[in-house]
Amino acid sequence: MSIGILTSGGDCPGLNAVIRAAVLKGITAHDLEFVGFRNGWKGVVEGDTIPLGRPQVMGISKQGGTILGTSRTNPFEGGGAERVAEVMQEQGIDSIIAIGGEGTLAAAKRLTDAGIRIVGVPKTVDNDLSATDYTFGFDTAVQIATEAMDRLRTTGDSHGRCMVAEVMGRHVGWIALHSGMAAGAHAILIPERKTTMDELTEWVESARSRGRAPLIVVAEGFKLDTMDDAHSERGLDAFGRPRLGGIGDILAPEIEARTGMETRSTTLGHIQRGGTPSAYDRVLATRYGMAAIDSVLEGHWGRMVALRGTNIVHVPFEDALGRLKTVPQSRYEEAAILFG
Ligand code: F6P
């Protein structure tokens, strides 16, 4: 039996650990064969594959990015299910393991509905996929953001400045919440909770009154109460979504104008998605990769592996689609007690 593996959508640390675990388990325990589709669904519709055996996956679980490459290509713009079935038949591929986020899984669902045999592995640094407690990549992103904030704090303290750290989080504030809590931020601004400049100014003033250099964490998708949409000034991405980034640079001069406190903003951007995965993410990704092999052997088409507590389970694609896993109000309020 030959299985095709693809990684699709934005990359994140841990993708290679999934690929390695699936290939190693498939070969050693079940004598399966693998090919890698290059650059996500693009490689599927173009029939662009690479060999995937033990030599290709040797030592890659600690490597960031994806050895297969990725893209945000939609397979339905390149021939859809008919073309995918044709490529699979030409290359003797029985089924596909698709590693990706909401866009990837939505395409996988449509293809499965049309008869293609696909199992999914959830992926997103934002940790916004429903039906799984955590996605790999998130823990690494939080670690990177926390380390960056620890550094921002020492330079902020030296100069007596307010420091604004902008992190990823298009629709949800999980990275901001966790890294902000870990770094002891004086305010955490997330997309789920609009905030006024008056509230923010109060938190900054309160920290300053205790002799602290305020640290404000803001998710890229955050909106002030005066904003209808998240700040975007860089056009659209390949999916037609606004490219975010820059809200920190909007807030910093406002804070400075209102408080008279010198304020600097730093956008962490793709640094959060690059480099070596944390041990937690490697373990989670490895467990997902191995569980995906069980799913293929058991014919769980149209389902993705997921984390429930400490157990790996499998759930229908539709459970992960249509509704994002946002930060609950209670988690925000819990953190907000320590703001200011
Ligand atoms: O969805 C993950 C994410 O990192 C978002 O937080 C961010 O808005 C987006 O991807 C950035 O995408 P790109 O890599 O295409 O710039």
Side-chain angles (χ1 to χ4, degrees):
M1 185 194 282
S2 177
I3 301 170
I5 302 186
L6 67 91
T7 52
S8 169
D11 75 337
C12 77
L15 287 167
N16 286 327
V18 178
I19 298 166
R20 172 183 168 273
V23 169
L24 289 187
K25 177 166 175 175
I27 290 174
T28 55
H30 303 289
D31 217 13
L32 301 174
E33 286 172 10
F34 294 87
V35 291
F37 288 110
R38 294 185 63 233
N39 303 319
W41 295 114
K42 188 166 186 286
V44 182
V45 294
E46 290 177 359
D48 187 3
T49 57
I50 55 166
L52 208 49
R54 288 194 85 109
Q56 286 77 28
V57 301
M58 201 165 56
I60 63 168
S61 61
K62 59 182 171 304
Q63 210 173 297
T66 161
I67 60 164
L68 299 177
T70 186
S71 71
R72 295 198 194 269
T73 301
N74 180 345
F76 288 91
E77 278 162 21
E82 232 171 83
R83 176 64 191 145
V84 174
E86 190 179 66
V87 168
M88 287 174 72
Q89 199 183 3
E90 273 168 17
Q91 305 219 9
I93 297 168
D94 302 279
S95 56
I96 294 178
I97 296 176
I99 313 169
E102 225 207 346
T104 307
L105 296 172
K109 175 164 172 20
R110 278 182 72 189
L111 290 170
T112 311
D113 290 347
I116 310 288
R117 293 151 41 128
I118 305 176
V119 301
V121 175
K123 171 247 44 157
T124 149
V125 280
D126 289 357
N127 196 38
D128 59 1
L129 263 183
S130 292
T132 183
D133 290 352
Y134 284 102
T135 42
F136 61 87
F138 171 66
D139 182 72
T140 307
V142 168
Q143 185 62 33
I144 293 168
T146 303
E147 277 170 24
M149 284 170 209
D150 291 346
R151 290 174 193 279
L152 290 174
R153 289 199 78 155
T154 67
T155 170
D157 279 335
S158 306
H159 290 265
R161 286 172 174 159
C162 173
M163 304 302 282
V164 178
E166 181 183 311
V167 298
M168 279 187 167
R170 166 171 288 275
H171 303 291
V172 305
W174 287 110
I175 296 178
L177 184 80
H178 280 221
S179 59
M181 273 186 119
H186 298 100
I188 301 170
L189 309 176
I190 62 175
E192 293 88 337
R193 165 73 154 72
K194 282 192 175 185
T195 304
T196 66
M197 266 318 293
D198 285 348
E199 274 178 294
L200 180 52
T201 307
E202 241 175 70
W203 290 320
V204 170
E205 292 286 16
S206 159
R208 174 162 70 171
S209 69
R210 287 179 288 107
R212 308 306 308 276
L215 171 70
I216 310 301
V217 182
V218 59
E220 61 183 356
F222 165 76
K223 297 184 279 284
L224 282 167
D225 63 324
T226 50
M227 296 164 66
D228 289 329
D229 298 306
H231 178 74
S232 170
E233 55 189 8
R234 298 172 190 168
L236 304 178
D237 70 12
F239 275 166
R241 306 178 309 175
R243 288 181 59 206
L244 303 185
I247 181 66
D249 292 325
I250 302 289
L251 297 177
E254 276 289 319
I255 294 171
E256 189 163 315
R258 283 168 171 254
T259 63
M261 190 170 202
E262 233 191 317
T263 303
R264 297 283 190 269
S265 167
T266 301
T267 300
L268 300 184
H270 291 79
I271 284 173
Q272 294 159 96
R273 272 187 11 205
T276 191
S278 68
Y280 178 90
D281 279 339
R282 290 185 215 184
V283 172
L284 180 58
T286 299
R287 293 183 73 201
Y288 277 164
M290 292 199 291
I293 294 301
D294 296 336
S295 286
V296 167
L297 292 173
E298 285 157 28
H300 289 143
W301 317 125
R303 297 178 78 85
M304 71 166 200
V305 297
L307 183 71
R308 282 279 160 75
T310 55
N311 295 325
I312 305 290
V313 298
H314 50 85
V315 299
F317 286 154
E318 48 267 38
D319 286 9
L321 301 171
R323 184 173 53 90
L324 288 175
K325 185 178 67 197
T326 51
V327 172
Q329 201 179 333
S330 58
R331 285 293 309 273
Y332 174 80
E333 284 168 1
E334 176 188 58
I337 291 170
L338 302 183
F339 288 2

